Amino acid sequence: QVQLVESGGGLVQPGGSLGLSCAASGIIFSIYNMGWYRQAPGKQRELVAHITSGGNTKYADSVKGRCTISRDNAKNTVYLQMNSLKPEDTAAYYCHAVRVLSGGGEHDYWGQGTQVTVSS
C-alpha cells in the first residue's frame, strides 16, 4: 500500500519560514519524480515545486527564490523549505509522487495534505 505522509505544516507569521516533509512508503522512492502542490480555498491546485528522480528541480514563479525542494532517497523523503512566507502562501500543501511508465501512462499518488497558514 502506497502512503505519502506530509508533516511540518502550521501557523507562521509573514516573513517567517517553514519546512515541510513527505515520507513515502510502498513505492521505490528513488525512481519517482516528486512534487509539492498547494490548494487555497476556492482555487485550483497548483504546482509549487518539483524534483525529478535525478534531482532536477523546477519552481512556480510565485515561490522562486523563496522555496527549496530536496529529496533524501535513503529516507524516502522529500522536503520543501519555504522562506519569506507571505499570506498568499496560505494553502493546503500536498505531496505528489509520479512515475512515467515506459509503455505509456503513469503511476501517481497523493498525500493527504498539510495546512500552511501565514498570518500575523
Side-chain angles (χ1 to χ4, degrees), residues 14 39 43 46 48 68 88 92 101 103 106 113:
Q39 187 168 19
K43 294 189 176 181
E46 62 177 2
V48 177
T68 302
E88 51 263 44
L101 304 177
E106 61 185 30

Side-chain angles (χ1 to χ4, degrees), residues 66-79:
R66 300 189 297 119
C67 291
T68 302
I69 188 171
S70 60
R71 64 190 297 160
D72 185 338
N73 289 340
K75 296 182 177 180
N76 289 355
T77 300
V78 62
Y79 305 94

Side-chain angles (χ1 to χ4, degrees), residues 37-60:
Y37 287 73
R38 66 187 181 187
Q39 187 168 19
K43 294 189 176 181
Q44 288 189 327
R45 190 171 295 190
E46 62 177 2
L47 175 70
V48 177
H50 179 263
I51 184 167
T52 68
S53 58
N56 294 317
T57 59
K58 70 175 180 181
Y59 298 90

Side-chain angles (χ1 to χ4, degrees), residues 19-41:
L20 305 182
S21 300
C22 171
S25 60
I27 59 173
I28 304 174
F29 180 79
S30 62
I31 67 174
Y32 276 75
N33 300 323
M34 301 298 297
W36 285 97
Y37 287 73
R38 66 187 181 187
Q39 187 168 19

Side-chain angles (χ1 to χ4, degrees), residues 50-112:
H50 179 263
I51 184 167
T52 68
S53 58
N56 294 317
T57 59
K58 70 175 180 181
Y59 298 90
D61 288 342
S62 59
V63 304
K64 274 181 185 175
R66 300 189 297 119
C67 291
T68 302
I69 188 171
S70 60
R71 64 190 297 160
D72 185 338
N73 289 340
K75 296 182 177 180
N76 289 355
T77 300
V78 62
Y79 305 94
L80 182 70
Q81 178 63 38
M82 301 185 292
N83 301 320
S84 302
L85 284 161
K86 305 174 182 180
E88 51 263 44
D89 294 317
T90 296
Y93 284 70
Y94 297 89
C95 179
H96 183 241
V98 61
R99 179 171 73 102
V100 178
L101 304 177
S102 57
E106 61 185 30
H107 286 162
D108 78 308
Y109 306 95
W110 291 92
Q112 83 287 350

